[in-house]
């Protein structure tokens, strides 16, 4: 009886880091109940400061109305400077993430992937050889799943995209037009975690084959507007340590890296198109 070939992904750095980050968030999450004391972590990793949940102030009012009260004891209405401040535009506010097509196909059993549980962490198991897959069908579906925020959908989609790009070769270039809408949808979520994952996928996409960087140039107007909003999204913490740089979770740095890769691999028209969409971008090639 012939056995079906299976491929287990070996490089799951990006997808695996998402799982680790979720575990750390759950470990250090605040699980207090409103009205009870809670412990908040201070700047030092080994010190915990005890704080209490702020309770609404209770006014000492003996009666209602103004009867019997002189006008001199009434507090005048103070001018609120906040009333003249216009409301926030919400350009960087997180958007609602709709269910993806990847989730529907996976729950229906139409995708040849499964989670391989091992002692060193989860890995992606392909039920067929990756080189024999129809990239026109599967690659857009996996790209649509990179905006998932729940596992196992997120892990399978992100790791599946990196595996497909690694083994795709010349099959990737004809599928570029079908990938623009999933990439744009993932960036438009304005979710920082989803955006960081999408930027890493874009970097891998640009270097995964010849002419791919040039094929993306006509679609800069769909992709780069979100880059322009978050390009300078960096933390100003003085002499503190920003651990998001080591974990590659800093949106501003990832956008700069992605733009430089797009310019290097995008041909002679890449810089002028990037400059048109992001006027503050400076070339890393031209001197």
């Amino acid at each position: 009886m012939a056995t079906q070939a299976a491929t287990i992904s070996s490089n799951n750095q990006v997808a695996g880091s998402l799982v680790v980050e979720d575990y750390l968030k759950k470990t250090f999450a605040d699980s207090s109940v409103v009205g009870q004391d809670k412990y908040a972590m201070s700047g030092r990793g080994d010190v915990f400061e005890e704080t209490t949940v702020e309770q609404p102030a209770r006014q000492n009012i003996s009666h209602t109305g103004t009867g019997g009260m002189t006008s001199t004891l009434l507090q005048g209405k103070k001018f609120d400077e906040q009333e003249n401040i216009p409301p926030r535009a919400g350009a960087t506010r997180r958007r609602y993430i709709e269910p993806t097509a990847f989730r529907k196909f996976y729950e229906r059993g139409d995708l040849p992937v499964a989670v391989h549980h091992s002692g060193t962490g989860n890995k992606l198991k392909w039920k067929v050889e990756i080189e024999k897959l129809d990239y026109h069908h599967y690659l857009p579906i996996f790209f649509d799943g990179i905006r998932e925020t729940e596992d196992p959908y997120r892990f399978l989609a992100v790791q599946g995209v990196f595996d497909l790009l690694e083994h795709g070769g010349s099959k990737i270039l004809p599928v570029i037009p079908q990938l623009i809408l999933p990439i744009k949808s993932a960036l438009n979520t304005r979710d920082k975690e989803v955006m960081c994952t999408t930027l890493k996928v874009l970097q891998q996409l640009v270097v995964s084959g010849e002419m791919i960087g040039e094929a993306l140039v006509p679609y800069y107007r769909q992709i780069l507007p979100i880059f322009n909003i978050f390009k300078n999204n960096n933390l100003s913490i003085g002499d503190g340590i920003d651990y998001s740089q080591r974990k590659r979770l800093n949106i501003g740095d990832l956008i700069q890296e992605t733009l430089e890769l797009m310019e290097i691999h995008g041909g002679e028209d890449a810089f002028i198109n990037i400059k048109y969409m992001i006027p503050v971008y400076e070339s890393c090639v031209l001197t």
Side-chain angles (χ1 to χ4, degrees):
M1 181 177 179
T3 58
Q4 189 177 12
T7 303
I8 298 178
S9 175
S10 58
N11 184 14
N12 61 341
Q13 182 178 1
V14 177
S17 64
L18 295 174
V19 178
V20 174
E21 284 298 318
D22 276 355
Y23 175 77
L24 293 176
K25 289 178 183 178
K26 293 178 181 179
T27 303
F28 296 107
D30 181 12
S31 59
S32 63
V33 181
V34 176
Q36 296 181 357
D37 294 343
K38 63 179 181 180
Y39 291 89
M41 183 178 293
S42 65
R44 291 177 53 189
D46 56 343
V47 178
F48 289 85
E49 297 178 353
E50 184 177 358
T51 60
T52 57
V53 179
E54 183 180 357
Q55 299 292 341
R58 184 176 181 180
Q59 299 179 355
N60 186 13
I61 301 177
S62 58
H63 64 278
T64 59
T66 59
M69 300 177 63
T70 60
S71 60
T72 56
L73 299 178
L74 293 177
Q75 295 182 356
K77 183 178 180 181
K78 297 181 179 180
F79 177 74
D80 189 3
E81 296 179 355
Q82 299 293 333
E83 294 180 358
N84 293 335
I85 299 178
R88 290 179 177 269
T92 59
R93 178 172 46 84
R94 182 182 181 273
R95 303 297 196 265
Y96 171 72
I97 302 177
E98 298 180 354
T100 63
F102 177 86
R103 176 179 296 207
K104 181 183 69 174
F105 279 96
Y106 177 74
E107 291 178 345
R108 205 164 60 182
D110 293 342
L111 299 178
V113 292
V115 179
H116 177 74
H117 300 279
S118 61
T120 58
N122 296 337
K123 296 181 180 180
L124 180 62
K125 178 179 180 181
W126 291 90
K127 300 178 182 179
V128 297
E129 296 182 11
I130 303 177
E131 292 79 4
K132 296 182 179 180
L133 293 174
D134 182 7
Y135 272 61
H136 282 277
H137 176 70
Y138 286 106
L139 192 58
I141 295 176
F142 277 86
F143 262 82
D144 188 61
I146 61 178
R147 55 191 170 98
E148 282 285 352
T149 57
E150 297 180 8
D151 289 322
Y153 312 106
R154 179 184 59 180
F155 175 80
L156 292 169
V158 174
Q159 187 57 44
V161 165
F162 278 93
D163 289 348
L164 290 171
L165 295 179
E166 181 181 357
H167 297 84
S170 60
K171 294 182 179 180
I172 302 175
L173 182 60
V175 196
I176 292 296
Q178 298 175 248
L179 306 180
I180 303 304
L181 186 58
I183 293 174
K184 181 181 178 181
S185 300
L187 293 174
N188 282 333
T189 61
R190 290 168 169 82
D191 183 278
K192 292 186 177 181
E193 187 177 88
V194 175
M195 290 184 63
C196 289
T197 303
T198 307
L199 291 170
K200 296 173 186 177
V201 169
L202 267 175
Q203 294 179 10
Q204 183 65 29
L205 175 64
V206 171
V207 300
S208 59
E210 297 181 359
M211 302 297 294
I212 292 180
E214 298 182 17
L216 288 173
V217 174
Y219 304 101
Y220 281 177
R221 295 193 178 188
Q222 283 76 36
I223 300 175
L224 298 188
I226 303 298
F227 285 34
N228 195 27
I229 297 175
F230 289 89
K231 186 178 186 300
N232 296 322
N233 193 316
N234 290 305
L235 294 177
S236 179
I237 56 177
D239 60 348
I241 300 177
D242 183 13
Y243 291 100
S244 65
Q245 293 178 337
R246 177 178 63 84
K247 299 177 181 179
R248 300 194 72 222
L249 295 176
N250 188 289
I251 296 181
D253 292 345
L254 286 174
I255 289 178
Q256 183 66 25
E257 294 175 10
T258 307
L259 291 175
E260 291 177 358
L261 282 175
M262 286 181 169
E263 182 187 0
I264 294 173
H265 297 275
E268 57 183 8
D269 296 330
F271 173 69
I272 189 63
N273 283 275
I274 294 176
K275 190 72 173 179
Y276 179 80
M277 299 302 302
I278 306 177
V280 298
Y281 175 75
E282 298 295 336
S283 175
C284 65
V285 177
L286 303 177
T287 56

